[in-house]
Amino acid sequence: MSSHADAEYRTFSQTLRERSWPLHDEANGTGFISALMGGRMSRDGYAAMVTQHLFVYEALESVAAGMRDDLIAGPFVTDDLTRVPALRTDLAHLLGPDALDSLEPLASTRRYAERIRETAQWPGGFVAHHYTRYLGDLSGGLAVGTIVSRTYGFAPGGDGVRFYSFERIPKPRPFKDAYRARLDAAPWNPEERERVLDEVLTAYRLNIEVFAELARAYPAAR
Ligand code: HEM
């Protein structure tokens, strides 16, 4: 079969993955992530990343709450994914419980969270941001959790790394397959699919900007 014919038989979820993969590699090749995965990031730097996650997931999960009954986005919303309580527990452990009320996002995080909140008016855009974070968390995120607990001495799945363990999703593979089937079944015409895809690329870029700002604030330990 020619590559042209192959392209015609791609499902939307396959196209999405394929077209966003270069930015996926860019995101996970950033200096900050390399340092984190190599055990060379300070504990303060890790805590700063968890802080940024809190602002991003507060935005995602507050928009999700309003999307529950939406015909298009509703099927993607499930409490099994909810991360804010785990992030708050991790931050209380990392920074102390009093720190939770005085956290501030980086400028790049503020932009990212604002962009997510704007999708409260656009179900397809919300799904794009939902996909970029949660499917990533259920993939490479699991490896990040293992390395982080080893680096900083947290019990696997315990306080400090609760974000990485999805207790209500013991088997990520079937969950991700069902998620991709939902992407393929969403009633989007080709123009809307293109807009959703573009928003996924935007979501990756916003993540890359957060990692870049984190790397400037927390240079890796040698
Ligand atoms: C340490 C860094 C990372 C590693 C090692 C990593 C690794 C992976 C791997 C191995 C997969 C494929 C899993 C599968 O076949 O089911 C994957 C999928 C994915 N990752 Fe990452 N990743 C990292 C960072 C990120 C970041 C920063 C994001 C976005 C913010 C992200 C978003 C995604 C998404 C959305 C998918 C699902 C793609 C799809 O199948 O449609 N990842 N990742």
Side-chain angles (χ1 to χ4, degrees):
M1 202 185 274
S2 75
S3 59
H4 178 71
D6 279 349
E8 283 177 10
Y9 290 102
R10 289 272 188 286
T11 60
F12 177 56
S13 60
Q14 284 168 336
T15 305
L16 192 56
R17 183 194 173 105
E18 210 171 271
R19 298 226 341 238
S20 60
W21 208 248
L23 279 175
H24 177 273
D25 286 351
E26 196 178 323
N28 95 53
T30 52
F32 187 87
I33 292 291
S34 303
L36 188 71
M37 297 302 275
R40 289 176 287 108
M41 181 43 63
S42 64
R43 197 177 185 277
D44 285 353
Y46 171 64
M49 183 186 79
V50 181
T51 302
Q52 309 318 304
H53 281 159
L54 179 66
F55 289 101
V56 168
Y57 285 82
E58 277 178 346
L60 264 176
E61 290 171 13
S62 82
V63 178
M67 290 284 178
R68 271 177 204 284
D69 298 325
D70 184 84
L71 240 51
I72 293 168
F76 293 90
V77 176
T78 162
D79 293 338
D80 295 354
L81 289 169
T82 304
R83 297 289 85 199
V84 167
L87 285 166
R88 291 183 67 85
T89 306
D90 288 343
L91 281 169
H93 184 72
L94 284 160
L95 301 172
D98 297 343
L100 282 177
D101 299 327
S102 51
L103 298 173
E104 289 287 338
L106 294 174
S108 53
T109 305
R110 200 182 294 277
R111 284 195 298 275
Y112 184 10
E114 269 169 24
R115 181 85 183 192
I116 292 171
R117 286 183 199 278
E118 281 165 16
T119 67
Q121 308 305 321
W122 175 30
F126 163 72
V127 171
H129 285 281
H130 192 272
Y131 160 83
T132 309
R133 284 302 333 180
Y134 294 111
L135 236 60
D137 298 334
L138 287 167
S139 306
L142 304 178
V144 179
T146 305
I147 288 177
V148 163
S149 37
R150 207 180 300 147
T151 306
Y152 308 109
F154 303 131
D159 291 358
V161 283
R162 288 202 184 275
F163 170 77
Y164 298 100
S165 68
F166 288 81
E167 290 177 351
R168 291 163 67 168
I169 308 180
K171 290 188 176 156
R173 165 99 18 219
F175 183 95
K176 288 192 290 181
D177 288 345
Y179 193 102
R180 291 189 191 102
R182 260 174 252 138
L183 287 170
D184 294 333
W188 292 320
N189 63 23
E191 290 74 30
E192 181 66 359
R193 283 186 164 182
E194 201 59 30
R195 279 183 79 207
V196 172
L197 206 156
D198 273 349
E199 193 64 21
V200 167
L201 302 184
T202 297
Y204 271 113
R205 289 191 191 100
L206 289 163
N207 275 279
I208 291 166
E209 284 170 20
V210 173
F211 291 136
E213 196 174 353
L214 278 170
R216 287 195 292 277
Y218 299 91
R222 295 287 145 207

